[in-house]
Each structure stands twice: as structure tokens, then as C-alpha cells.
Amino acid sequence: MTKAGSKGGNLRDKLDGNELDLSLSDLNEVPVKELAALPKATILDLSCNKLTSLPAEFCGLTHLVKLDLSKNKLQQLPADFGRLVNLQHLDLLNNRLVTLPVSFAQLKSLKWLDLKDNPLDPALAKVAGDCLDEKQCKQCANKVLQHMKAVQADQERERQRRLEVEREAEKKREAKQRAKEAQERELRKREKAEEKERRRKEYDALKAAKREQEKKPKKETNQAPKSKSGSRPRKPPPRRHTRSWAVLKLLLLLLLCVAGGLVACRVTELRRQPLCTSVNAVYDNAVRALRGHDILQWVLQTDSQQ
């Protein structure tokens, strides 16, 4: 890439009063940084170079009053080209421009404009007309500014319309979301009520079943069920006193043991033993005492007669 600084020396050497001529410098790009350091250069000639575009930083050269960009290969201007609010004279002859940025409408100081020999959009080309003399170039500047202001207004209206559409769409989405949330809340509320009703019915059913169970034993106690034949109900079998029966068995066993020992002491040869002698003496005394009792004596006599 060739820059003015490397091809034609320092830019200050090219500065003549407030004019800076960089034409025919074989430039591929604009030395914006060096130009920004020369605010005195209000007239800038960049014609007859190889420029295909202007950097965004170029729009910061707001000190420019006259700018010649003719006979380059510019395909478009920066979006913020309208920041060059002090620009009065602009030559864009013989480039490759099709449209102009909307910000072009902000060039309120522009008095002279040449757009010949550019493949302009038909509507823009019709507005620009020919720039064959001073008067036509001034008319071109005025008409193009009015046209770009109208384009800017149309774009602003379109932007406002899109914003309004987006706001309406957002309102509809919010309303739809609120309706959905309200529906979900109503559904949860209904499900909760149904669940509560189901649990209440289960609770009532359990209480009813419990009352029926409590009434059933009372009926069985108060009213004995009648048999199918109409006969009186059987009495329940007497309860067995298992513990008393065991005690009675034990007493009978003890009596048998005593009786067996008494017989052994009176009949067998063991009667001479000291223990048996004592047992026989107790038995004889008991028999004499019982015979002295009238009722028992009568029972014994009856028994002996038989």
C-alpha cells in the first residue's frame, strides 16, 4: 500500500495555505491519522487515486470544507459521512457509487455536489441530474439533500412503524403469557379443590365404616342372632378353669401318695420302722377321733352293715 507520506514526503510539505493536494499519489487508503493532525487543511484533494473505500475514522475530519474524491474506485461512503457538517463542496465524479448513506442528509452546509459518471440508483440519478456547470452542481447539492432528507424521514417512519409493530407483538405476547399463567393458576386451583374433595370423601367414608364397626358388636351383644330353624340359641359351653383343674389333679395325686404310704405302713413289714410307727399312731388317733363324731360314726356303721 502506498501512502502520501512514503510517496511524496511529509504531508506538511504538500500543504499550501489551507489546501492539501494528495491527487495523483497512487493512494490505496487515506492517511486519516496524518490528516487529523492538520486541522488547517480545510481543502483536501484526493482525486485520481486508487481508493475503494473510506475508513470510518475519515468522518472525524470535521474541519473539511471542500473535498475532492473524483476519479477513484469508491463503491460506498461511510455510514457516518454526515458528520462532516462543515463540508460545502463535494466532488464524487467518476466513482462506483450506487447509493448514498442516509446520514448524507445531515450535510446542511453542502452547496456544491457532483455525482456524474456513477452507477447511481435510478431514483437518485434522476434527482441528481447533470452537473455541467456551477448552477447545475448547486442544484444537485440542494436536490440530493432534499431527497436524502425524505429518505431519512421515510426510514425513520419505517423504523417507528417496526417499533410499533414490535411493541404490539410484545404486548400480545405478554397478554398471551398472562392468560396462560391465569389458566394454569385456575387449573391448579381446580385440581387442588378436586384433591381436597376426594380426601374429604375418603375421610367421611372411613368415619362411616368406623361407626358401623362400633355398632356391630353392640348389636351382637344386645340381640343374639336367631337360628334359621327358629329354635332357641345354644348356650355357650362353660369355660374351663384350666388352672383349678391342674390344682385338683395335684391334690388327688398327693392324696394317692399319702394313701399308698399309709397302706405300706400298715400292711407290709415296714410298719416296724420308726416313720411308719408314727404314721400308724397318727392314723389310729384320727380314726378314733372320727368315730367319736356322730355323723361319721353313723356313716361308718352303715358302711360296715352293707
Side-chain angles (χ1 to χ4, degrees), residues 20-67:
L20 181 61
D21 187 1
L22 297 180
S23 61
L24 300 170
S25 297
D26 199 26
L27 295 177
N28 291 319
E29 61 180 31
V30 180
V32 177
K33 186 176 180 181
E34 290 82 354
L35 292 174
L38 298 173
K40 185 179 178 181
T42 58
I43 300 175
L44 177 61
D45 189 353
L46 290 169
S47 62
C48 302
N49 283 291
K50 299 178 181 179
L51 302 176
T52 58
S53 64
L54 299 178
E57 295 79 10
F58 185 86
C59 301
L61 303 177
T62 56
H63 59 278
L64 294 177
V65 174
K66 183 177 180 179
L67 177 62

Side-chain angles (χ1 to χ4, degrees), residues 238-282:
R239 297 179 180 178
R240 297 180 180 180
H241 300 286
T242 307
R243 186 177 298 177
S244 301
W245 184 249
V247 173
L248 182 59
K249 285 183 177 181
L250 185 60
L251 291 175
L252 289 175
L253 181 61
L254 185 59
L255 289 175
L256 288 174
C257 291
V258 171
L262 184 59
V263 170
C265 286
R266 296 188 65 84
V267 176
T268 64
E269 294 181 356
L270 294 175
R271 61 178 180 275
R272 294 186 179 87
Q273 296 294 327
L275 180 59
C276 288
T277 303
S278 301
V279 171
N280 290 332
V282 171

Side-chain angles (χ1 to χ4, degrees), residues 186-215:
E186 186 64 25
L187 179 61
R188 288 194 297 269
K189 184 178 179 181
R190 185 165 59 250
E191 290 177 350
K192 187 176 180 180
E194 291 175 356
E195 177 65 16
K196 185 176 180 180
E197 181 65 17
R198 183 186 64 80
R199 292 174 63 186
R200 187 186 64 79
K201 288 181 179 179
E202 290 180 355
Y203 176 76
D204 292 343
L206 288 173
K207 286 189 69 175
K210 188 175 181 180
R211 285 195 296 269
E212 289 297 325
Q213 290 178 357
E214 290 175 351
K215 290 177 181 179

Side-chain angles (χ1 to χ4, degrees), residues 88-206:
Q88 299 178 16
H89 185 111
L90 177 60
D91 194 345
L92 293 170
L93 171 72
N94 194 9
N95 277 280
R96 299 177 182 179
L97 297 173
V98 177
T99 60
L100 297 175
V102 178
S103 66
F104 200 91
Q106 300 173 12
L107 299 177
K108 298 179 181 180
S109 300
L110 190 65
K111 305 298 181 183
W112 195 97
L113 177 63
D114 190 356
L115 285 171
K116 290 193 305 297
D117 298 331
N118 279 283
L120 296 176
D121 178 78
L124 179 59
K126 183 178 180 180
V127 170
D130 294 327
C131 183
L132 301 177
D133 54 32
E134 188 76 12
K135 183 179 179 180
Q136 288 184 353
C137 289
K138 288 181 178 180
Q139 290 178 350
C140 176
N142 183 49
K143 289 180 180 179
V144 169
L145 283 179
Q146 295 300 322
H147 173 73
M148 295 309 299
K149 287 178 181 179
V151 171
Q152 187 180 43
D154 290 341
Q155 289 191 2
E156 181 62 22
R157 283 193 294 270
E158 180 63 20
R159 189 181 70 84
Q160 292 295 334
R161 188 191 67 80
R162 287 198 299 268
L163 288 175
E164 186 64 25
V165 170
E166 291 176 0
R167 282 195 292 266
E168 290 296 327
E170 183 64 24
K171 288 180 180 179
K172 289 181 180 180
R173 284 194 295 270
E174 290 177 356
K176 187 176 180 180
Q177 183 64 23
R178 287 194 296 269
K180 183 179 178 181
E181 291 175 355
Q183 185 177 5
E184 290 176 352
R185 286 195 300 269
E186 186 64 25
L187 179 61
R188 288 194 297 269
K189 184 178 179 181
R190 185 165 59 250
E191 290 177 350
K192 187 176 180 180
E194 291 175 356
E195 177 65 16
K196 185 176 180 180
E197 181 65 17
R198 183 186 64 80
R199 292 174 63 186
R200 187 186 64 79
K201 288 181 179 179
E202 290 180 355
Y203 176 76
D204 292 343
L206 288 173

